[in-house]
Amino acid sequence: MSDKSFFTTIISKPEDGTIRYPLNDIIIGPYKKFLVHSRQFIQIASIFSVAMSAVYLLFGSSIFCNFSFFNHDSICSYNIGAYILSKLIILYLISAFSVRYYQSVWCQKTTSPIFLFRPQKLDIFSFIGFIFFILINMMSVLSGYLLIIRVPNPDWRIELTYFGFVSIGFLLPFILLRLYSIFADIWSGHKPSSLLNIWKLSRGNSLRLIISASMQMFLFIFSLSATTSYAGSLASEASILSIIVMEYIFCFVMLISVSLFINFCAIQQHYLNLENSDE
């Protein structure tokens, strides 16, 4: 039996054939990188926030449409097709933002107008990657739904087998945490690393990644909830100008969380590349 304690396991040296992401870098690093390169973020996010705001408003999906007492309900559309299309366009814009933020902050590219506005082939790859990972993460929601609607079987063996199989979906978001460096490969335009190689090298980092991702998720939920709550306080008397401004602020805050996620992926890729270069 291993005599390693819980905390010893966290700070111990990595096993042979693996790497260990520094605790400070993987948890605090995304925020430090964001602050150091806040100028680049503002330059890029200010443009993409305008585009995202325009999509929300044009498709009738404004943040204010979530409130029944909104005094400009005529600008809201409750068409499911328009709603889905607007979300896909927003995701594509976030994918394009991710490419430019990564290349500006991690590849030191200049944020010129051509760089910001010219479409890149990587935008499509980034969009496909986000769709793929979102669908896999949604498997946990499907697992929960299947367990809720499940009619218990009197045979405990069948019930246990069903529960064990369906519960795999709950583990997928935690498994994916070790594979997000693949996004950094996509954004940089380099040949994507082998997922199997990433999985092997990153063994022993799950707890660190969970802590870092949990902090970012908390900040994401808190910041968007606070923005939405403030918009709700204005909904009954909102002017057209205040609607546009709040939509912009909402998108800008969203992109702050996206940039932290980008840094989270890039830091993993950085240490994986160090290991590969040493080899």
Side-chain angles (χ1 to χ4, degrees):
M1 181 180 296
S2 175
D3 58 355
K4 288 184 178 180
S5 67
F6 175 75
F7 292 104
T8 302
T9 302
I10 297 178
I11 64 175
S12 62
K13 294 182 179 180
E15 300 176 6
D16 291 340
T18 68
I19 63 170
R20 185 62 56 86
Y21 302 137
L23 193 62
N24 181 63
D25 280 359
I26 201 61
I27 294 178
I28 307 299
Y31 307 93
K32 291 170 61 178
K33 195 73 172 180
F34 173 79
L35 293 175
V36 170
H37 296 277
S38 57
R39 182 177 62 83
Q40 289 98 317
F41 168 78
I42 293 173
Q43 290 175 337
I44 302 170
S46 59
I47 299 299
F48 278 87
S49 294
V50 171
M52 292 168 64
S53 302
V55 171
Y56 277 126
L57 292 171
L58 290 174
F59 281 85
S61 301
S62 170
I63 183 177
F64 288 93
C65 295
N66 296 315
F67 309 108
S68 58
F69 46 88
F70 180 43
N71 64 349
H72 291 283
D73 189 60
S74 59
I75 73 170
C76 300
S77 171
Y78 300 101
N79 181 283
I80 186 64
Y83 176 82
I84 294 174
L85 181 58
S86 68
K87 294 301 182 184
L88 288 175
I89 295 175
I90 290 295
L91 182 59
Y92 187 86
L93 289 173
I94 289 175
S95 303
F97 166 83
S98 300
V99 172
R100 283 148 188 79
Y101 178 86
Y102 178 88
Q103 292 181 353
S104 175
V105 172
W106 291 89
C107 302
Q108 290 79 50
K109 288 194 175 181
T110 304
T111 54
S112 64
I114 295 178
F115 171 72
L116 291 175
F117 293 105
R118 185 174 62 187
Q120 297 187 35
K121 181 171 61 176
L122 297 179
D123 299 343
I124 299 175
F125 295 150
S126 177
F127 177 71
I128 294 173
F130 272 120
I131 290 288
F132 182 73
F133 275 79
I134 288 173
L135 290 177
I136 296 179
N137 275 296
M138 289 297 291
M139 291 298 294
S140 60
V141 178
L142 177 61
S143 293
Y145 174 74
L146 291 176
L147 289 177
I148 290 174
I149 66 172
R150 169 72 172 168
V151 177
N153 192 296
D155 189 331
W156 65 269
R157 291 167 296 187
I158 296 177
E159 192 67 17
L160 184 62
T161 301
Y162 179 85
F163 181 82
F165 180 76
V166 173
S167 296
I168 294 175
F170 294 118
L171 301 177
L172 289 177
F174 300 102
I175 293 174
L176 290 180
L177 287 175
R178 286 171 53 185
L179 303 176
Y180 279 134
S181 63
I182 197 72
F183 274 113
D185 289 328
I186 294 173
W187 298 325
S188 64
H190 296 154
K191 180 181 178 181
S193 305
S194 163
L195 292 178
L196 180 60
N197 188 50
I198 295 173
W199 181 259
K200 290 179 178 178
L201 288 175
S202 62
R203 190 169 66 250
N205 288 286
S206 295
L207 182 58
R208 296 164 183 244
L209 295 173
I210 290 172
I211 293 173
S212 180
S214 298
M215 290 176 59
Q216 290 191 37
M217 181 59 68
F218 172 80
L219 179 62
F220 174 73
I221 294 174
F222 174 79
S223 59
L224 291 190
S225 296
T227 306
T228 303
S229 297
Y230 183 70
S233 67
L234 303 175
S236 61
E237 300 178 356
S239 64
I240 297 298
L241 178 60
S242 62
I243 293 171
I244 295 174
V245 171
M246 279 305 305
E247 206 67 48
Y248 180 88
I249 293 174
F250 178 81
C251 294
F252 194 86
V253 170
M254 184 189 301
L255 290 180
I256 291 176
S257 294
V258 173
S259 68
L260 295 176
F261 172 74
I262 296 169
N263 292 337
F264 174 72
C265 299
I267 289 171
Q268 294 181 57
Q269 185 213 39
H270 171 72
Y271 286 102
L272 289 170
N273 285 346
L274 283 180
E275 176 67 18
N276 290 329
S277 63
D278 289 343
E279 292 179 356

